[in-house]
Amino acid sequence: MPASLPASVLDLAPVLPVVVLEDAADAVPLARALVAGGLPAIEVTLRTPAALEGIGAMAAEVPDAVVGAGTVVTPAQVAQCVDAGARFLVSPGWTDTLLSAMTASGVPFLPGVSTASEVVALLERGVREMKFFPAQAAGGTAYLRSLAGPLPQARFCPTGGIGPGIAPEYLTLPNVGCVGGSWMVPADALAARDWPRIERLAREAAGLSAGGTCR
């Protein structure tokens, strides 16, 4: 099990970068740029063959980064990600089998939800921190605001369709700890290995808070 696990992924920064890594060689400089910009938590999605190697490189070479794995959908992936060095796990949805594997992994995790029933089911199982996905398509801030009254014990990281313009609206909500997004890692900047640009975008994202002011 990785050392120094975060008590809560939701409290590390206002924004959780969601990274699609095409080349594992980019993992370390990318992580350094994001950390330098004030975003220590990094979700590397399992959407490319480079993901696991990239997670391992970030975990080994960027000690200030809190590297996690996203798009985790099977128990086998849970084990692979933790073995690679992931310090948290994120899934787009959940099943009892996947939830059991994530719970047994010993690392924090954010199972994905998009309905009140899914939230209630997780609360019954003792899970209070979740990913709300796909956030904009599933009802956005209005939906999460509606959940805050009857289910105040649930906290969320909304992800999906969120950019810097809408992020502060989510951060005003009492049940939102952070938002997930990829706007600070645009594909053209990553392809060009423009680490200074990514660091600048990360710094701007790290300064977001409710109402769009710096924390």
Side-chain angles (χ1 to χ4, degrees):
M1 184 191 307
S4 303
L5 296 174
S8 171
V9 178
L10 302 185
D11 297 327
L12 294 173
V15 179
L16 175 63
V18 179
V19 173
V20 179
L21 197 62
E22 299 291 347
D23 187 344
D26 294 334
V28 169
L30 173 60
R32 287 175 176 157
L34 291 171
V35 170
L39 299 180
I42 304 168
E43 176 190 335
V44 180
T45 67
L46 299 184
R47 301 179 191 177
T48 67
L52 284 175
E53 184 180 350
I55 290 169
M58 289 181 181
E61 299 186 43
V62 191
D64 291 333
V66 182
V67 184
T71 323
V72 177
V73 296
T74 70
Q77 288 177 331
V78 170
Q80 291 168 347
C81 293
V82 174
D83 287 345
R87 293 165 65 185
F88 64 90
L89 306 169
V90 184
S91 67
W94 65 277
T95 64
D96 283 327
T97 301
L98 179 59
L99 188 67
S100 295
M102 291 193 292
T103 301
S105 73
V107 303
F109 57 90
L110 299 174
V113 297
S114 60
T115 69
S117 294
E118 291 171 318
V119 175
V120 171
L122 285 176
L123 291 173
E124 284 184 349
R125 292 160 172 81
V127 178
R128 297 190 175 186
E129 296 189 345
M130 311 166 195
K131 172 181 178 175
F132 180 59
F133 177 83
Q136 285 291 90
T141 56
Y143 193 89
L144 284 176
R145 187 177 293 109
S146 297
L147 290 181
L151 301 170
Q153 63 271 53
R155 297 180 71 218
F156 301 96
C157 173
T159 306
I162 298 176
I166 193 70
E169 296 183 30
Y170 279 95
L171 293 169
T172 65
L173 301 178
N175 54 353
V176 169
C178 66
V179 300
S182 58
W183 73 85
M184 74 299 300
V185 191
D188 60 337
L190 190 54
R193 295 179 169 85
D194 190 346
W195 313 126
R197 179 184 171 197
I198 290 173
E199 181 180 338
R200 175 178 57 80
L201 292 171
R203 185 170 292 107
E204 292 171 358
L208 291 176
S209 67
T213 58
C214 291
R215 291 188 167 187

